[in-house]
Amino acid sequence: MTATYKKYTLDFKRPSGTSRGTLVKKETWFLILEENGRQGIGECGLLRGLSIDDVGDYQEKLQWTCENISLGKSKLWTLLKDFPSIQFGIEQAFLSIQSEDAFVLFPSNFTQKKHPIPINGLIWMGDEAFMLAQIQQKLQQSFSCIKMKIGAIDFDQEIAIIESIRRQYSKDQIELRVDANGAFAVNEAIEKLKVLAAFDIHSIEQPIKQGQYAAMEQLCKTSPLPIALDEELIGFFDYKAKEKLLQQIRPEYIILKPSLIGGYKGSEEWITIAEGLGIKWWITSALESNIGLNAIAQWTFTRNNNLPQGLGTGSLYTNNFESPLQVAKGNLYYNNNAFWKTKLIEELCI
């Protein structure tokens, strides 16, 4: 078996705002395996400024992975514990080369019978007019769950937007999630959570920056609305350390981004621990291309989680890969009558 890697830059259709800045491009890397005329592909989805493996020798580690591909998936996964995005790329690539169809990693009713995955509609940060326009678009597309990025514009403006939604749609009509990406200061977080709670918010992701364990524990104890840990999970490699974190903080939810936490295996460890503690969870993409999104979605379906998942990011880019993934009526479908036929994938040797 031989392995190579290739870098690819995804271009956002429109600058997309978060509390950590505005995104216009996203780098990603593809791990490509070849053996006996077969090929497999996995995406190593790095998020600059957030991924724990956003380090200077990232490409050197990809090259090392290719040179040592004969060690196999399990051994490589263990040796690359500090590089969760590469761990995930390895898992995908080995499944891909072993599959009859390189892009069907988990055959199921999702890939074979077009059974959908419920997803949330994602609202990016921006000025008030832009955010309201996005909300109207998602409502017209029949989303019943909307996730708003908050924390970049004035909080009162954000509350006004949320209030306008609730004037038109009750919590039974629209489930509203908010994601602060760690934007709130510790000393102001509880008051902001109290304001948000008045609008029947389903949950808030990462209200304060990760790593403030005592403060997050206290917030989870006193918050009037459920808290979901997201960035807080990044950088935990040891099972016991993961268990200790959740035992201490006890959030209502955790959110799993496989590219950031060690792929399928790393995510499944978090799920096992969370379920043992009565903590609920859902799965979210980390702005991968459709190749990585496809790998996440197929696995997500096998987990039988009925909550809306965060898998609606495939339409963000001008130069994404054509795929069978389709969003309709607030769901993600795998249209098995469509194909991965695009020159972009051919350029990646697939």
Side-chain angles (χ1 to χ4, degrees):
M1 181 184 293
T2 61
T4 56
Y5 75 91
K6 293 197 176 184
K7 181 181 177 181
Y8 189 73
T9 300
L10 294 155
D11 298 317
F12 281 82
K13 291 179 180 176
R14 175 176 178 139
S16 299
T18 76
S19 62
R20 290 188 299 271
T22 300
L23 304 171
V24 294
K25 294 181 180 292
K26 182 187 180 295
E27 301 163 292
T28 196
W29 284 262
F30 294 99
L31 182 64
I32 300 160
L33 306 185
E34 296 192 53
E35 185 177 43
N36 298 327
R38 299 179 63 84
Q39 293 177 316
I41 188 168
E43 181 168 358
C44 304
L46 190 70
L47 271 179
R48 293 292 184 189
L50 182 60
S51 298
I52 195 71
D53 45 3
D54 178 14
V55 292
D57 64 344
Y58 186 80
Q59 291 198 61
E60 286 84 350
K61 189 59 67 171
L62 279 170
Q63 183 60 39
W64 178 90
T65 301
C66 293
E67 292 169 355
N68 291 276
I69 202 68
S70 61
L71 292 174
K73 178 174 70 174
S74 296
K75 183 68 172 177
L76 286 169
W77 193 94
T78 301
L79 291 172
L80 290 162
K81 67 176 184 178
D82 295 335
F83 291 84
S85 64
I86 301 179
Q87 286 179 316
F88 188 33
I90 287 168
E91 288 178 321
Q92 296 169 57
F94 273 91
L95 282 171
S96 177
I97 201 169
Q98 293 162 2
S99 300
E100 183 177 341
D101 181 328
F103 294 103
V104 178
L105 310 186
F106 295 91
S108 68
N109 284 341
F110 176 66
T111 58
Q112 297 169 348
K113 298 184 179 180
K114 302 181 185 178
H115 285 206
I117 299 171
I119 60 174
N120 60 241
L122 180 60
I123 307 302
W124 291 94
M125 291 176 179
D127 60 35
E128 185 174 356
F130 174 55
M131 294 182 76
L132 285 170
Q134 290 180 86
I135 289 166
Q136 287 303 315
Q137 181 186 49
K138 298 303 180 188
L139 295 175
Q140 290 168 5
Q141 293 170 343
S142 302
F143 280 92
S144 60
C145 177
I146 290 176
K147 171 182 164 179
M148 283 181 58
K149 296 275 189 180
I150 63 171
I153 64 174
D154 180 74
F155 184 68
D156 290 338
Q157 284 183 280
E158 292 171 338
I159 292 300
I161 293 170
I162 292 170
E163 187 176 20
S164 72
I165 297 172
R166 279 290 175 249
R167 279 199 300 267
Q168 300 177 66
Y169 302 95
S170 71
K171 67 177 182 180
D172 296 323
Q173 295 172 298
I174 295 293
E175 179 179 288
L176 192 56
R177 301 171 175 175
V178 295
D179 182 3
N181 286 127
F184 297 166
V186 171
N187 62 358
E188 66 182 14
I190 191 64
E191 294 306 316
K192 289 188 172 182
L193 295 181
K194 289 177 182 177
V195 173
L196 288 164
F199 299 100
D200 295 314
I201 303 296
H202 171 270
S203 56
I204 181 168
E205 297 179 32
Q206 205 67 42
I208 61 175
K209 288 181 180 178
Q210 70 263 42
Q212 303 178 90
Y213 307 123
M216 186 67 86
E217 177 187 3
Q218 185 62 23
L219 271 184
C220 286
K221 286 179 179 177
T222 58
S223 173
L225 66 136
I227 290 175
L229 300 189
D230 181 358
E231 290 93 337
E232 204 75 67
L233 309 185
I234 297 171
F236 284 81
F237 309 123
D238 178 72
Y239 189 93
K240 288 294 183 182
K242 295 176 182 180
E243 192 171 45
K244 182 179 178 182
L245 177 77
L246 294 189
Q247 286 174 339
Q248 176 184 351
I249 296 179
R250 299 278 177 159
E252 187 80 14
Y253 300 97
I254 61 171
I255 297 169
L256 306 163
K257 292 184 171 79
S259 290
L260 302 182
I261 58 173
Y264 302 129
K265 185 177 178 180
S267 299
E268 286 167 357
E269 288 182 351
W270 282 111
I271 289 171
T272 298
I273 296 165
E275 290 182 342
L277 295 171
I279 297 168
K280 297 181 281 294
W281 53 272
W282 69 84
I283 297 162
T284 301
S285 61
L287 306 182
E288 294 86 357
S289 77
N290 277 336
I291 292 174
L293 179 61
N294 173 63
I296 296 169
Q298 290 184 28
W299 170 70
T300 297
F301 186 84
T302 69
R303 298 301 310 184
N304 298 312
N305 184 317
N306 294 324
L307 292 174
Q309 309 295 307
L311 302 175
T313 55
S315 62
L316 292 176
Y317 305 113
T318 61
N319 59 339
N320 207 341
F321 305 94
E322 281 185 41
S323 81
L325 296 174
Q326 297 177 353
V327 174
K329 297 182 178 179
N331 293 292
L332 181 68
Y333 292 85
Y334 191 91
N335 181 0
N336 52 19
N337 293 324
F339 300 96
W340 296 83
K341 51 180 182 180
T342 166
K343 291 181 180 179
L344 295 176
I345 290 180
E346 291 171 9
E347 291 173 5
L348 293 173
C349 302
I350 292 296

